[in-house]
Amino acid sequence: MNILLLGSGGREHALAWKISQSSLLSRLFIAPGNAGTALIGTNLAISVLDFPSIKKAVLEHQINMVIVGPEDPLVYGIYDFFLADPQICRVPVIGPSAKGARLEGSKDFAKQFMRRYEIPTARYMTFDKTTITAGIEFLHTLKPPYVLKADGLAAGKGVIISDSLEDAITEFTSILMENRFGSASEKVIIEEYLHGIELSVFVITDGKSFKILPEAKDYKRIGERDTGANTGGMGSVSPVPFANDSFMDKALEQIIKPTIKGLITEGIDYIGFIFFGLMNVNGNPFVIEYNCRLGDPETESIIPRLQNDLLQLFNAVATRKLEREIIQIDKRTAATVMLVSKGYPDAYEKFKVITGEKSVTGSLIFHAGTAANSETGEVITNGGRVMAVTSFGATMAEALEKSYKNAEKITYEGKHYRRDIGFDLCS
Ligand code: AMP
Ligand code: GLY
């Protein structure tokens, strides 16, 4: 099979690495990819949102399947774009239809969906410009911290958590009045704060049945002990010790099964991944958010643990025969440490030469924001999140030790990483 994978992060390098091991693979293309994906496939300089150019590449390279890494092409309807075009409608797109991607693309839709199927989630109400007074009244009924969420995609910046009622009211009013996130902030959700510990649970579905993939915990804050600004993710571990049978059973019965059933009931065409961002509140799972794709950096920990041939799984999804597949998971722990650029997650430095990757032993390196210097061939930094170092261990501590040892060997000016990944999971 000729495969086109869309995206350019550590998630996509991990997927490309796994796909490259498939016995079904002929040629792998990645659009736009990074310096890591260029080592195992052919990068195409096409934006993930440029659907006409993606179509052209599919025809030119006789692509048999398109795999979508990030959420925006899904929310903007790449699945439906393919289905509606007679020239490419037979090329399966692994990822949901735009209707299905609303689970991530509209928090209001997701909350209403959960309400309809009695899926545990934080109590909430949705407001717009015309209901600001009611929103302020609702805020008064809640206890701090206050959680505000822009309805649509807001590049990871759409959630505001505030300890002060006064600040929450100011933020709430200004998000709506100033259209802070463009059309994404036409509606704002105010919800109850859930106290607990978060984890990411993933399933793959063919729209009829589903399989549970390894779960992971990610570390979103820039600073150690979960302090400072939110980032796209500073590291991850899989499995998650508190995701024991009792917790996962509840997640399955109360959240995963009703979600799949809800999608079927509503006739929503959904193939691909569902990412359940869950909060463990005293042993009970609540949905914080849905995503219509895999997580980053969770993918860098979970995909190495998956022992199945990934293209065989995607084929089963595309032909709606997932039920007969058996998921096999490496029992060891995988731990991922993300190396980032100086300044990240605010304005960061770029184009720093990266060295030392070749001296890494015993870990997997997944590139994220990297590029090859076209003149010198050197690998340079080209993003805030630069590289993920993933290692296996019989224990989390062993896996982390290997990742940290190799994280030291990779060098570039301004390299930064968190040295406490997994700190909250050590017993
Ligand atoms: P997001 O930008 O959607 O990934 O959300 C940012 C983060 O806000 C989540 O990962 C949670 O840590 C936190 N969060 C969102 N909603 C809630 C909630 N209702 N209670 C507690 N924390 C929340
Ligand atoms: N790691 C969280 C995300 O991918 O959204």
PDB file of all heavy atoms in Angstrom, residues 305-334:
ATOM      1  N   ARG A 305       4.253   0.805  22.225  1.00  0.00           N
ATOM      2  CA  ARG A 305       3.750  -0.343  23.004  1.00  0.00           C
ATOM      3  C   ARG A 305       2.800  -1.226  22.191  1.00  0.00           C
ATOM      4  O   ARG A 305       2.527  -2.361  22.581  1.00  0.00           O
ATOM      5  CB  ARG A 305       3.024   0.138  24.280  1.00  0.00           C
ATOM      6  CG  ARG A 305       3.954   0.805  25.282  1.00  0.00           C
ATOM      7  CD  ARG A 305       3.238   1.058  26.602  1.00  0.00           C
ATOM      8  NE  ARG A 305       2.806  -0.175  27.223  1.00  0.00           N
ATOM      9  CZ  ARG A 305       1.667  -0.325  27.895  1.00  0.00           C
ATOM     10  NH1 ARG A 305       0.812   0.687  28.012  1.00  0.00           N
ATOM     11  NH2 ARG A 305       1.348  -1.473  28.428  1.00  0.00           N
ATOM     12  N   LEU A 306       2.281  -0.686  21.099  1.00  0.00           N
ATOM     13  CA  LEU A 306       1.321  -1.446  20.289  1.00  0.00           C
ATOM     14  C   LEU A 306       2.086  -2.442  19.425  1.00  0.00           C
ATOM     15  O   LEU A 306       2.964  -2.056  18.655  1.00  0.00           O
ATOM     16  CB  LEU A 306       0.531  -0.470  19.408  1.00  0.00           C
ATOM     17  CG  LEU A 306      -0.550  -1.069  18.537  1.00  0.00           C
ATOM     18  CD1 LEU A 306      -1.719  -1.550  19.385  1.00  0.00           C
ATOM     19  CD2 LEU A 306      -1.043  -0.031  17.531  1.00  0.00           C
ATOM     20  N   GLN A 307       1.731  -3.718  19.550  1.00  0.00           N
ATOM     21  CA  GLN A 307       2.492  -4.744  18.822  1.00  0.00           C
ATOM     22  C   GLN A 307       1.852  -5.136  17.497  1.00  0.00           C
ATOM     23  O   GLN A 307       2.461  -5.841  16.705  1.00  0.00           O
ATOM     24  CB  GLN A 307       2.710  -5.956  19.731  1.00  0.00           C
ATOM     25  CG  GLN A 307       3.644  -5.597  20.891  1.00  0.00           C
ATOM     26  CD  GLN A 307       3.742  -6.673  21.946  1.00  0.00           C
ATOM     27  OE1 GLN A 307       2.744  -7.321  22.260  1.00  0.00           O
ATOM     28  NE2 GLN A 307       4.913  -6.853  22.522  1.00  0.00           N
ATOM     29  N   ASN A 308       0.637  -4.678  17.263  1.00  0.00           N
ATOM     30  CA  ASN A 308      -0.040  -5.014  15.998  1.00  0.00           C
ATOM     31  C   ASN A 308       0.629  -4.319  14.820  1.00  0.00           C
ATOM     32  O   ASN A 308       1.275  -3.291  14.980  1.00  0.00           O
ATOM     33  CB  ASN A 308      -1.498  -4.547  16.041  1.00  0.00           C
ATOM     34  CG  ASN A 308      -2.281  -5.193  17.138  1.00  0.00           C
ATOM     35  OD1 ASN A 308      -1.932  -5.060  18.296  1.00  0.00           O
ATOM     36  ND2 ASN A 308      -3.331  -5.897  16.778  1.00  0.00           N
ATOM     37  N   ASP A 309       0.378  -4.881  13.629  1.00  0.00           N
ATOM     38  CA  ASP A 309       0.752  -4.194  12.396  1.00  0.00           C
ATOM     39  C   ASP A 309      -0.256  -3.049  12.222  1.00  0.00           C
ATOM     40  O   ASP A 309      -1.470  -3.289  12.090  1.00  0.00           O
ATOM     41  CB  ASP A 309       0.661  -5.209  11.235  1.00  0.00           C
ATOM     42  CG  ASP A 309       1.045  -4.600   9.902  1.00  0.00           C
ATOM     43  OD1 ASP A 309       0.612  -3.463   9.615  1.00  0.00           O
ATOM     44  OD2 ASP A 309       1.768  -5.261   9.137  1.00  0.00           O
ATOM     45  N   LEU A 310       0.238  -1.823  12.247  1.00  0.00           N
ATOM     46  CA  LEU A 310      -0.681  -0.676  12.256  1.00  0.00           C
ATOM     47  C   LEU A 310      -1.487  -0.566  10.959  1.00  0.00           C
ATOM     48  O   LEU A 310      -2.675  -0.228  10.988  1.00  0.00           O
ATOM     49  CB  LEU A 310       0.110   0.620  12.526  1.00  0.00           C
ATOM     50  CG  LEU A 310      -0.714   1.854  12.861  1.00  0.00           C
ATOM     51  CD1 LEU A 310      -1.658   1.634  14.039  1.00  0.00           C
ATOM     52  CD2 LEU A 310       0.196   3.050  13.163  1.00  0.00           C
ATOM     53  N   LEU A 311      -0.873  -0.884   9.830  1.00  0.00           N
ATOM     54  CA  LEU A 311      -1.630  -0.780   8.575  1.00  0.00           C
ATOM     55  C   LEU A 311      -2.714  -1.851   8.500  1.00  0.00           C
ATOM     56  O   LEU A 311      -3.791  -1.620   7.943  1.00  0.00           O
ATOM     57  CB  LEU A 311      -0.697  -0.870   7.362  1.00  0.00           C
ATOM     58  CG  LEU A 311       0.158   0.372   7.090  1.00  0.00           C
ATOM     59  CD1 LEU A 311       0.900   0.221   5.768  1.00  0.00           C
ATOM     60  CD2 LEU A 311      -0.671   1.656   7.103  1.00  0.00           C
ATOM     61  N   GLN A 312      -2.431  -3.002   9.094  1.00  0.00           N
ATOM     62  CA  GLN A 312      -3.486  -4.034   9.143  1.00  0.00           C
ATOM     63  C   GLN A 312      -4.670  -3.520   9.968  1.00  0.00           C
ATOM     64  O   GLN A 312      -5.836  -3.698   9.592  1.00  0.00           O
ATOM     65  CB  GLN A 312      -2.916  -5.316   9.753  1.00  0.00           C
ATOM     66  CG  GLN A 312      -3.908  -6.464   9.647  1.00  0.00           C
ATOM     67  CD  GLN A 312      -3.368  -7.741  10.270  1.00  0.00           C
ATOM     68  OE1 GLN A 312      -2.176  -8.045  10.136  1.00  0.00           O
ATOM     69  NE2 GLN A 312      -4.228  -8.474  10.939  1.00  0.00           N
ATOM     70  N   LEU A 313      -4.357  -2.847  11.072  1.00  0.00           N
ATOM     71  CA  LEU A 313      -5.439  -2.276  11.892  1.00  0.00           C
ATOM     72  C   LEU A 313      -6.208  -1.208  11.112  1.00  0.00           C
ATOM     73  O   LEU A 313      -7.449  -1.184  11.127  1.00  0.00           O
ATOM     74  CB  LEU A 313      -4.856  -1.614  13.144  1.00  0.00           C
ATOM     75  CG  LEU A 313      -4.746  -2.398  14.426  1.00  0.00           C
ATOM     76  CD1 LEU A 313      -4.350  -1.467  15.575  1.00  0.00           C
ATOM     77  CD2 LEU A 313      -6.063  -3.099  14.758  1.00  0.00           C
ATOM     78  N   PHE A 314      -5.467  -0.324  10.423  1.00  0.00           N
ATOM     79  CA  PHE A 314      -6.140   0.731   9.650  1.00  0.00           C
ATOM     80  C   PHE A 314      -6.976   0.125   8.519  1.00  0.00           C
ATOM     81  O   PHE A 314      -8.067   0.619   8.224  1.00  0.00           O
ATOM     82  CB  PHE A 314      -5.115   1.714   9.076  1.00  0.00           C
ATOM     83  CG  PHE A 314      -4.523   2.657  10.104  1.00  0.00           C
ATOM     84  CD1 PHE A 314      -3.228   3.132   9.971  1.00  0.00           C
ATOM     85  CD2 PHE A 314      -5.263   3.084  11.206  1.00  0.00           C
ATOM     86  CE1 PHE A 314      -2.683   4.013  10.903  1.00  0.00           C
ATOM     87  CE2 PHE A 314      -4.730   3.964  12.152  1.00  0.00           C
ATOM     88  CZ  PHE A 314      -3.425   4.426  11.990  1.00  0.00           C
ATOM     89  N   ASN A 315      -6.477  -0.936   7.902  1.00  0.00           N
ATOM     90  CA  ASN A 315      -7.262  -1.613   6.868  1.00  0.00           C
ATOM     91  C   ASN A 315      -8.559  -2.160   7.441  1.00  0.00           C
ATOM     92  O   ASN A 315      -9.621  -2.066   6.825  1.00  0.00           O
ATOM     93  CB  ASN A 315      -6.459  -2.802   6.320  1.00  0.00           C
ATOM     94  CG  ASN A 315      -5.950  -2.519   4.936  1.00  0.00           C
ATOM     95  OD1 ASN A 315      -6.461  -1.639   4.246  1.00  0.00           O
ATOM     96  ND2 ASN A 315      -4.918  -3.247   4.533  1.00  0.00           N
ATOM     97  N   ALA A 316      -8.463  -2.732   8.639  1.00  0.00           N
ATOM     98  CA  ALA A 316      -9.658  -3.280   9.298  1.00  0.00           C
ATOM     99  C   ALA A 316     -10.643  -2.155   9.620  1.00  0.00           C
ATOM    100  O   ALA A 316     -11.861  -2.326   9.523  1.00  0.00           O
ATOM    101  CB  ALA A 316      -9.249  -4.012  10.578  1.00  0.00           C
ATOM    102  N   VAL A 317     -10.111  -0.992   9.967  1.00  0.00           N
ATOM    103  CA  VAL A 317     -10.976   0.156  10.238  1.00  0.00           C
ATOM    104  C   VAL A 317     -11.664   0.600   8.951  1.00  0.00           C
ATOM    105  O   VAL A 317     -12.878   0.801   8.904  1.00  0.00           O
ATOM    106  CB  VAL A 317     -10.124   1.315  10.839  1.00  0.00           C
ATOM    107  CG1 VAL A 317     -10.873   2.634  10.761  1.00  0.00           C
ATOM    108  CG2 VAL A 317      -9.743   1.000  12.287  1.00  0.00           C
ATOM    109  N   ALA A 318     -10.865   0.715   7.880  1.00  0.00           N
ATOM    110  CA  ALA A 318     -11.402   1.222   6.609  1.00  0.00           C
ATOM    111  C   ALA A 318     -12.457   0.287   6.028  1.00  0.00           C
ATOM    112  O   ALA A 318     -13.416   0.738   5.404  1.00  0.00           O
ATOM    113  CB  ALA A 318     -10.257   1.423   5.613  1.00  0.00           C
ATOM    114  N   THR A 319     -12.288  -1.034   6.248  1.00  0.00           N
ATOM    115  CA  THR A 319     -13.247  -1.990   5.692  1.00  0.00           C
ATOM    116  C   THR A 319     -14.316  -2.368   6.735  1.00  0.00           C
ATOM    117  O   THR A 319     -15.116  -3.260   6.508  1.00  0.00           O
ATOM    118  CB  THR A 319     -12.526  -3.276   5.223  1.00  0.00           C
ATOM    119  OG1 THR A 319     -11.717  -3.755   6.303  1.00  0.00           O
ATOM    120  CG2 THR A 319     -11.629  -3.010   4.025  1.00  0.00           C
ATOM    121  N   ARG A 320     -14.287  -1.675   7.850  1.00  0.00           N
ATOM    122  CA  ARG A 320     -15.274  -1.868   8.941  1.00  0.00           C
ATOM    123  C   ARG A 320     -15.262  -3.315   9.441  1.00  0.00           C
ATOM    124  O   ARG A 320     -16.301  -3.932   9.652  1.00  0.00           O
ATOM    125  CB  ARG A 320     -16.677  -1.447   8.474  1.00  0.00           C
ATOM    126  CG  ARG A 320     -16.653  -0.168   7.635  1.00  0.00           C
ATOM    127  CD  ARG A 320     -17.254   1.000   8.304  1.00  0.00           C
ATOM    128  NE  ARG A 320     -16.990   2.210   7.509  1.00  0.00           N
ATOM    129  CZ  ARG A 320     -17.325   3.427   7.862  1.00  0.00           C
ATOM    130  NH1 ARG A 320     -17.942   3.643   8.983  1.00  0.00           N
ATOM    131  NH2 ARG A 320     -17.028   4.463   7.115  1.00  0.00           N
ATOM    132  N   LYS A 321     -14.037  -3.828   9.582  1.00  0.00           N
ATOM    133  CA  LYS A 321     -13.907  -5.204  10.093  1.00  0.00           C
ATOM    134  C   LYS A 321     -12.997  -5.230  11.315  1.00  0.00           C
ATOM    135  O   LYS A 321     -12.244  -6.189  11.520  1.00  0.00           O
ATOM    136  CB  LYS A 321     -13.338  -6.107   8.995  1.00  0.00           C
ATOM    137  CG  LYS A 321     -14.346  -6.337   7.893  1.00  0.00           C
ATOM    138  CD  LYS A 321     -13.823  -7.288   6.842  1.00  0.00           C
ATOM    139  CE  LYS A 321     -14.876  -7.511   5.777  1.00  0.00           C
ATOM    140  NZ  LYS A 321     -14.331  -7.461   4.431  1.00  0.00           N
ATOM    141  N   LEU A 322     -13.055  -4.182  12.097  1.00  0.00           N
ATOM    142  CA  LEU A 322     -12.145  -4.073  13.240  1.00  0.00           C
ATOM    143  C   LEU A 322     -12.425  -5.133  14.301  1.00  0.00           C
ATOM    144  O   LEU A 322     -11.519  -5.556  15.022  1.00  0.00           O
ATOM    145  CB  LEU A 322     -12.270  -2.655  13.848  1.00  0.00           C
ATOM    146  CG  LEU A 322     -11.339  -2.331  15.003  1.00  0.00           C
ATOM    147  CD1 LEU A 322      -9.874  -2.401  14.560  1.00  0.00           C
ATOM    148  CD2 LEU A 322     -11.641  -0.941  15.566  1.00  0.00           C
ATOM    149  N   GLU A 323     -13.680  -5.570  14.353  1.00  0.00           N
ATOM    150  CA  GLU A 323     -14.103  -6.485  15.421  1.00  0.00           C
ATOM    151  C   GLU A 323     -13.206  -7.717  15.535  1.00  0.00           C
ATOM    152  O   GLU A 323     -12.900  -8.186  16.620  1.00  0.00           O
ATOM    153  CB  GLU A 323     -15.549  -6.901  15.179  1.00  0.00           C
ATOM    154  CG  GLU A 323     -16.137  -7.540  16.403  1.00  0.00           C
ATOM    155  CD  GLU A 323     -17.658  -7.586  16.359  1.00  0.00           C
ATOM    156  OE1 GLU A 323     -18.229  -7.357  15.273  1.00  0.00           O
ATOM    157  OE2 GLU A 323     -18.242  -7.850  17.422  1.00  0.00           O
ATOM    158  N   ARG A 324     -12.754  -8.208  14.369  1.00  0.00           N
ATOM    159  CA  ARG A 324     -11.993  -9.465  14.406  1.00  0.00           C
ATOM    160  C   ARG A 324     -10.512  -9.280  14.783  1.00  0.00           C
ATOM    161  O   ARG A 324      -9.787 -10.261  14.933  1.00  0.00           O
ATOM    162  CB  ARG A 324     -12.131 -10.222  13.081  1.00  0.00           C
ATOM    163  CG  ARG A 324     -11.822  -9.391  11.845  1.00  0.00           C
ATOM    164  CD  ARG A 324     -11.672 -10.306  10.646  1.00  0.00           C
ATOM    165  NE  ARG A 324     -12.935 -10.431   9.928  1.00  0.00           N
ATOM    166  CZ  ARG A 324     -13.027 -10.534   8.604  1.00  0.00           C
ATOM    167  NH1 ARG A 324     -11.935 -10.571   7.869  1.00  0.00           N
ATOM    168  NH2 ARG A 324     -14.185 -10.627   8.020  1.00  0.00           N
ATOM    169  N   GLU A 325     -10.059  -8.051  14.906  1.00  0.00           N
ATOM    170  CA  GLU A 325      -8.648  -7.813  15.255  1.00  0.00           C
ATOM    171  C   GLU A 325      -8.435  -7.980  16.765  1.00  0.00           C
ATOM    172  O   GLU A 325      -9.333  -7.698  17.564  1.00  0.00           O
ATOM    173  CB  GLU A 325      -8.228  -6.392  14.856  1.00  0.00           C
ATOM    174  CG  GLU A 325      -8.318  -6.119  13.370  1.00  0.00           C
ATOM    175  CD  GLU A 325      -7.322  -6.923  12.542  1.00  0.00           C
ATOM    176  OE1 GLU A 325      -6.175  -7.090  12.984  1.00  0.00           O
ATOM    177  OE2 GLU A 325      -7.721  -7.400  11.455  1.00  0.00           O
ATOM    178  N   ILE A 326      -7.252  -8.432  17.119  1.00  0.00           N
ATOM    179  CA  ILE A 326      -6.911  -8.549  18.551  1.00  0.00           C
ATOM    180  C   ILE A 326      -5.741  -7.608  18.825  1.00  0.00           C
ATOM    181  O   ILE A 326      -4.705  -7.699  18.162  1.00  0.00           O
ATOM    182  CB  ILE A 326      -6.536 -10.004  18.908  1.00  0.00           C
ATOM    183  CG1 ILE A 326      -7.755 -10.898  18.692  1.00  0.00           C
ATOM    184  CG2 ILE A 326      -6.029 -10.117  20.351  1.00  0.00           C
ATOM    185  CD1 ILE A 326      -7.432 -12.378  18.666  1.00  0.00           C
ATOM    186  N   ILE A 327      -5.953  -6.713  19.756  1.00  0.00           N
ATOM    187  CA  ILE A 327      -4.898  -5.740  20.062  1.00  0.00           C
ATOM    188  C   ILE A 327      -3.877  -6.383  20.987  1.00  0.00           C
ATOM    189  O   ILE A 327      -4.239  -7.005  21.998  1.00  0.00           O
ATOM    190  CB  ILE A 327      -5.508  -4.482  20.742  1.00  0.00           C
ATOM    191  CG1 ILE A 327      -6.526  -3.801  19.830  1.00  0.00           C
ATOM    192  CG2 ILE A 327      -4.416  -3.505  21.197  1.00  0.00           C
ATOM    193  CD1 ILE A 327      -5.962  -3.098  18.622  1.00  0.00           C
ATOM    194  N   GLN A 328      -2.602  -6.226  20.621  1.00  0.00           N
ATOM    195  CA  GLN A 328      -1.533  -6.761  21.469  1.00  0.00           C
ATOM    196  C   GLN A 328      -0.645  -5.632  21.956  1.00  0.00           C
ATOM    197  O   GLN A 328      -0.213  -4.790  21.165  1.00  0.00           O
ATOM    198  CB  GLN A 328      -0.711  -7.781  20.695  1.00  0.00           C
ATOM    199  CG  GLN A 328      -1.334  -9.140  20.843  1.00  0.00           C
ATOM    200  CD  GLN A 328      -1.092 -10.077  19.713  1.00  0.00           C
ATOM    201  OE1 GLN A 328      -0.680  -9.653  18.626  1.00  0.00           O
ATOM    202  NE2 GLN A 328      -1.356 -11.337  19.949  1.00  0.00           N
ATOM    203  N   ILE A 329      -0.426  -5.648  23.254  1.00  0.00           N
ATOM    204  CA  ILE A 329       0.272  -4.514  23.864  1.00  0.00           C
ATOM    205  C   ILE A 329       1.485  -5.001  24.651  1.00  0.00           C
ATOM    206  O   ILE A 329       1.392  -5.963  25.430  1.00  0.00           O
ATOM    207  CB  ILE A 329      -0.696  -3.745  24.789  1.00  0.00           C
ATOM    208  CG1 ILE A 329      -1.848  -3.157  23.962  1.00  0.00           C
ATOM    209  CG2 ILE A 329       0.035  -2.630  25.536  1.00  0.00           C
ATOM    210  CD1 ILE A 329      -2.960  -2.562  24.778  1.00  0.00           C
ATOM    211  N   ASP A 330       2.602  -4.334  24.447  1.00  0.00           N
ATOM    212  CA  ASP A 330       3.826  -4.607  25.210  1.00  0.00           C
ATOM    213  C   ASP A 330       3.550  -4.227  26.673  1.00  0.00           C
ATOM    214  O   ASP A 330       3.061  -3.132  26.951  1.00  0.00           O
ATOM    215  CB  ASP A 330       4.945  -3.735  24.614  1.00  0.00           C
ATOM    216  CG  ASP A 330       6.323  -4.131  25.110  1.00  0.00           C
ATOM    217  OD1 ASP A 330       6.448  -4.454  26.308  1.00  0.00           O
ATOM    218  OD2 ASP A 330       7.271  -4.080  24.308  1.00  0.00           O
ATOM    219  N   LYS A 331       3.872  -5.135  27.575  1.00  0.00           N
ATOM    220  CA  LYS A 331       3.540  -4.888  28.985  1.00  0.00           C
ATOM    221  C   LYS A 331       4.482  -3.883  29.646  1.00  0.00           C
ATOM    222  O   LYS A 331       4.205  -3.347  30.711  1.00  0.00           O
ATOM    223  CB  LYS A 331       3.593  -6.204  29.765  1.00  0.00           C
ATOM    224  CG  LYS A 331       2.504  -7.174  29.356  1.00  0.00           C
ATOM    225  CD  LYS A 331       1.978  -7.951  30.550  1.00  0.00           C
ATOM    226  CE  LYS A 331       0.644  -8.618  30.311  1.00  0.00           C
ATOM    227  NZ  LYS A 331       0.231  -8.850  28.936  1.00  0.00           N
ATOM    228  N   ARG A 332       5.627  -3.660  29.007  1.00  0.00           N
ATOM    229  CA  ARG A 332       6.587  -2.744  29.634  1.00  0.00           C
ATOM    230  C   ARG A 332       6.062  -1.301  29.647  1.00  0.00           C
ATOM    231  O   ARG A 332       5.127  -0.957  28.923  1.00  0.00           O
ATOM    232  CB  ARG A 332       7.914  -2.793  28.868  1.00  0.00           C
ATOM    233  CG  ARG A 332       8.645  -4.104  29.005  1.00  0.00           C
ATOM    234  CD  ARG A 332       9.865  -4.144  28.124  1.00  0.00           C
ATOM    235  NE  ARG A 332       9.526  -3.999  26.702  1.00  0.00           N
ATOM    236  CZ  ARG A 332      10.406  -3.784  25.734  1.00  0.00           C
ATOM    237  NH1 ARG A 332      11.689  -3.683  26.008  1.00  0.00           N
ATOM    238  NH2 ARG A 332      10.018  -3.670  24.479  1.00  0.00           N
ATOM    239  N   THR A 333       6.711  -0.476  30.453  1.00  0.00           N
ATOM    240  CA  THR A 333       6.360   0.946  30.492  1.00  0.00           C
ATOM    241  C   THR A 333       7.171   1.697  29.439  1.00  0.00           C
ATOM    242  O   THR A 333       8.365   1.437  29.271  1.00  0.00           O
ATOM    243  CB  THR A 333       6.670   1.523  31.887  1.00  0.00           C
ATOM    244  OG1 THR A 333       5.790   0.914  32.826  1.00  0.00           O
ATOM    245  CG2 THR A 333       6.483   3.033  31.929  1.00  0.00           C
ATOM    246  N   ALA A 334       6.507   2.607  28.760  1.00  0.00           N
ATOM    247  CA  ALA A 334       7.203   3.511  27.843  1.00  0.00           C
ATOM    248  C   ALA A 334       7.141   4.914  28.441  1.00  0.00           C
ATOM    249  O   ALA A 334       6.075   5.334  28.927  1.00  0.00           O
ATOM    250  CB  ALA A 334       6.550   3.494  26.468  1.00  0.00           C
TER     251      ALA A 334
END
